Every structure is written in structure tokens, then in C-alpha cells.
Amino acid sequence: MSIKITSFALTLTCIATLLGACATTQPPAATETAAEAELVSTAEPASPEPEVETEYGNFTEEQLYQAIISELGAQRGVVDEAGDSYFDLALETRDLGIIRRAVQFASANNDMNAMLQLGLLWSEIDPTDSQPHLMLSFQFLETGNYQQALSHMARVIELGGEIDFSALAARTGQLDPRTRAVLIDNLRQLTREFSDQQSIRLTLVQLLAQNGEYQEALLEFQLLIQLVDLSPRLVMLKAQILQSAGDADQAIRVMRSGVREFEDDKNLRLGYSQLLIQNEQYEAAQAQFAALMELDPQDWETLFSMALLDMELENYDRAIERFTQLARIDQRADEARYYLGYIHEQREEFDAAIAAYREV
């Protein structure tokens, strides 16, 4: 990834940021009278004034030079070296401006180790800023350190920031139950500390379901919908929990009710169709696919699903019509021709089957 930098403007910005005051004391302009001039001429030669040392604010001349060279190097595309240089400067100066710039370079270079170290340094120097904790939480999530991630996520909330805890649930599906149980305990504690944070309780519901604790998940779900309005996402979550718990009929009822309430939501209706197929209610699923096609007549993926269902139900004439349409408009064309061949073969229409197979 490259970082776009306007040479003169950014270099000047860098200097202005790094150099709080680069000032030299200038001698005042002299105004001499004739008498003063005569006095000076008869006086002994004055010793030369000492050189005034240039001040570079809180930075040494070498540090300032290193920052400017790094910026110019980044302008030429040498982002790795610029990132390394700024990382060293951040550790050396412990200056927030330098640290933030080093974070930008570390992010551009996808240097996770640098991001972690810089985030910890940033949070140490400015413990009231939620931003480093937000950054650290996602870095720890990426490295699988979920306990540390959760700790920094909570810190973001404490400092008045905002964060979606469901990012945690998206990564914990493959955890062993014991490790996930520890996270569940911590999330329960956070729901007591931050009772108005809906994403914490949503994440708790998701982790309970991942751990197979379906009844507990449903109880927490009931508490969740007291905080938020029902949404298509929550409808699908509840149905998934019920299906996983072995209550397919109730899952279907929840989805049916949800589709009636959010009738224009395509994802919800698609999820309902898939749930019906999962429970071998193919005719009902076909009706939901038809409703999806009414919402979007050019939804070719849904048309392909309808053709597959027709084939499964041995509605071969309708399946041939739909697969032929897909092949004609070059949507899933090879698969459509293959299934056309298969259908013709099932109907012992061997010449038509061979012709379809040859077009695959």
C-alpha cells in the first residue's frame, strides 16, 4: 500500500508538527549617533558574539532529520523503511504525534507487531484516549488473543468510545468449549457493568449458541430484544439457535413471522428459503424463491436455485425452461447445460442429453 504525500506541503507539515519552536535570537538593529561611532572607534575591538544554538523544540536535530527523510522516502514509495524509521522514532521520543504517524505507516505495511507495540505505548502515554484501545482490540482479535482483545474492548467503552463486540463472535466459532466458556463469563460480567451496550449482549448470545448452550442463548436473546427493536438479523439469529437446538418447527415459525414483518428484506427471505430446504420443505421454499424473483426479476442466483428445486421435485419441464433461460443469458451457463443434460438423460432423451453435455 502506498501513502500519498505531497512533497513540499507534507514536509512543511512534518517540520511544523515536530518542531514546536525552531527559533534563533536575532541581534537588534543598531542605530548609532556620531558620538557613539567615535566612541566605538576609539574603544578596544569587541569580542565576537557567541553563536546562538538553534532549538528544535522537544526533538534533536537528528530526530527531525530522520522524520523528514522518512517522509520523503515514503513519497518515493519506500514505505517499509519509513515505517521502520518512524517506529524507532516513536519508541525514542514517546511523542504522540510521532506515535500516530508511526501507526499510519505500520497499518500501511500490515506490520501487526509494530501496531501492537505502538498501541500499548500510545495507551500508556495517553490513558484517556480510547483510540489505542480500539486499535489494540482488533489487533488482539486478529492474533487470537481473545482475552486481551475483550479487555481492550471494555476499555474503549469505559473511555466513552464505541465498538461492536460482535466482531469477537465472528472469530470464536472454532474455539474449544472451555476457552469459549471463559469468554462467556467475561461477557456476562460486562453485561452487568455496561447494561445498555446491546452489542455485548448480542455477542454473549452468539457465543452461548456456539458453545451449544441453546436455552441460555435464548434467555439472553429475550433480554436483548428488550434493549433493541426486532430486526431481520435478530430474527435469523433466533431461528438459527432454535434449528441448532433441534426445534425446527419453531425455527420455521419464527422465520415465517419475520418474513411477514420484513417482507421486503431479501436476505431474510433467502434465509427462510434455505431453512425450508434444510428441513425438506421444498414446495414452501419454491414459493419463497418466487417471491424473491418478484422483488428482483434479474436475480439469476435465485432463478438457478428454483431450477435446482424443480429438478429435485422432478418438475423437469419447468427445470428445463429455467436452465435453458440461464444458459441463453450466460448465467451459470456451464452448470445449467450440465443439468439440462442430466434431466434429458433421466428422461431417456439421449440425443438431447449428449447435445447438452457437449456444450459444457
Side-chain angles (χ1 to χ4, degrees):
M1 179 184 294
S2 63
I3 297 179
K4 295 183 179 178
I5 300 172
T6 304
S7 299
F8 290 111
L10 187 50
T11 301
L12 290 174
T13 301
C14 175
I15 294 172
T17 302
L18 301 179
L19 190 54
C22 179
T24 56
T25 304
Q26 300 294 335
T31 55
E32 296 180 350
T33 64
E36 288 170 337
E38 182 178 354
L39 179 61
V40 169
S41 65
T42 58
E44 293 184 3
S47 58
E49 291 189 18
E51 293 185 7
V52 179
E53 183 178 353
T54 303
E55 297 178 3
Y56 295 96
N58 295 325
F59 303 92
T60 67
E61 183 177 0
E62 176 60 31
Q63 290 168 342
L64 178 62
Y65 174 78
Q66 186 178 349
I68 294 174
I69 291 300
S70 298
E71 295 289 349
L72 295 176
Q75 175 67 25
R76 296 193 304 272
V78 190
V79 183
D80 288 348
E81 293 182 12
D84 291 341
S85 181
Y86 259 105
F87 177 77
D88 293 338
L89 271 176
L91 298 183
E92 183 179 343
T93 66
R94 297 172 63 85
D95 178 81
L96 282 176
I98 294 291
I99 292 170
R100 292 190 185 98
R101 188 64 174 144
V103 166
Q104 292 176 341
F105 278 108
S107 178
N109 293 325
N110 198 28
D111 189 340
M112 296 183 65
N113 182 56
M115 293 279 284
L116 285 172
Q117 292 190 60
L118 291 167
L120 291 170
L121 179 61
W122 186 353
S123 64
E124 175 190 341
I125 293 171
D126 189 358
T128 63
D129 192 345
S130 66
Q131 192 65 29
H133 295 284
L134 181 65
M135 181 181 76
L136 285 166
S137 65
F138 284 106
Q139 292 303 312
F140 282 123
L141 282 176
E142 289 299 319
T143 58
N145 294 316
Y146 301 116
Q147 283 286 89
Q148 290 174 291
L150 195 57
S151 173
H152 286 284
M153 293 168 86
R155 188 66 181 140
V156 171
I157 301 297
E158 289 173 353
L159 293 172
E162 294 183 2
I163 189 169
D164 186 355
F165 278 73
S166 61
L168 177 65
R171 293 167 170 82
T172 55
Q174 302 303 315
L175 285 182
D176 63 273
R178 180 176 299 179
T179 302
R180 197 184 291 112
V182 174
L183 293 176
I184 288 170
D185 288 341
N186 289 337
L187 283 168
R188 287 190 187 280
Q189 177 63 33
L190 290 177
T191 60
R192 291 189 286 270
E193 293 178 16
F194 308 104
S195 57
D196 60 335
Q197 291 293 321
Q198 62 191 52
S199 75
I200 299 178
R201 196 170 295 277
L202 173 60
T203 304
L204 176 58
V205 171
Q206 292 170 315
L207 264 67
L208 285 167
Q210 288 175 2
N211 237 26
E213 300 176 45
Y214 302 120
Q215 293 307 314
E216 283 294 316
L218 290 170
L219 288 173
E220 291 293 341
F221 183 89
Q222 292 305 119
L223 296 174
L224 173 64
I225 59 174
Q226 294 176 15
L227 297 175
V228 297
D229 294 330
L230 189 65
S231 66
R233 179 188 180 189
L234 292 179
V235 170
M236 287 191 283
L237 175 60
K238 184 175 183 180
Q240 289 165 1
I241 294 171
L242 288 166
Q243 175 74 11
S244 298
D247 194 348
D249 291 341
Q250 183 62 22
I252 290 172
R253 282 194 288 271
V254 167
M255 288 295 280
R256 184 187 301 124
S257 176
V259 165
R260 288 172 182 164
E261 185 169 353
F262 306 102
E263 58 183 12
D264 293 331
D265 192 284
K266 290 180 61 178
N267 288 333
L268 181 60
R269 194 175 291 275
L270 178 60
Y272 184 30
S273 303
Q274 293 168 341
L275 180 63
L276 290 168
I277 292 172
Q278 190 175 348
N279 289 282
E280 300 183 355
Q281 297 189 22
Y282 301 124
E283 292 287 357
Q286 193 72 293
Q288 294 306 314
F289 282 134
L292 283 169
M293 289 299 295
E294 289 181 9
L295 292 173
D296 183 2
Q298 294 188 332
D299 185 349
W300 308 125
E301 288 299 312
T302 295
L303 183 62
F304 182 73
S305 297
M306 294 180 76
L308 288 174
L309 269 180
D310 285 330
M311 186 174 65
E312 179 69 26
L313 295 170
E314 298 185 358
N315 296 326
Y316 289 142
D317 289 338
R318 197 161 52 184
I320 288 173
E321 179 184 339
R322 286 170 172 154
F323 282 132
T324 300
Q325 180 183 355
L326 288 165
R328 186 172 61 251
I329 61 177
D330 200 26
Q331 296 288 333
R332 296 274 196 138
D334 285 342
E335 293 157 282
R337 293 184 182 109
Y338 172 81
Y339 287 122
L340 283 169
Y342 173 80
I343 292 170
H344 286 303
E345 187 177 354
Q346 296 304 304
R347 298 172 72 167
E348 298 184 356
E349 299 167 352
F350 299 117
D351 289 342
I354 291 170
Y357 284 139
R358 281 177 175 172
E359 292 184 16
V360 175

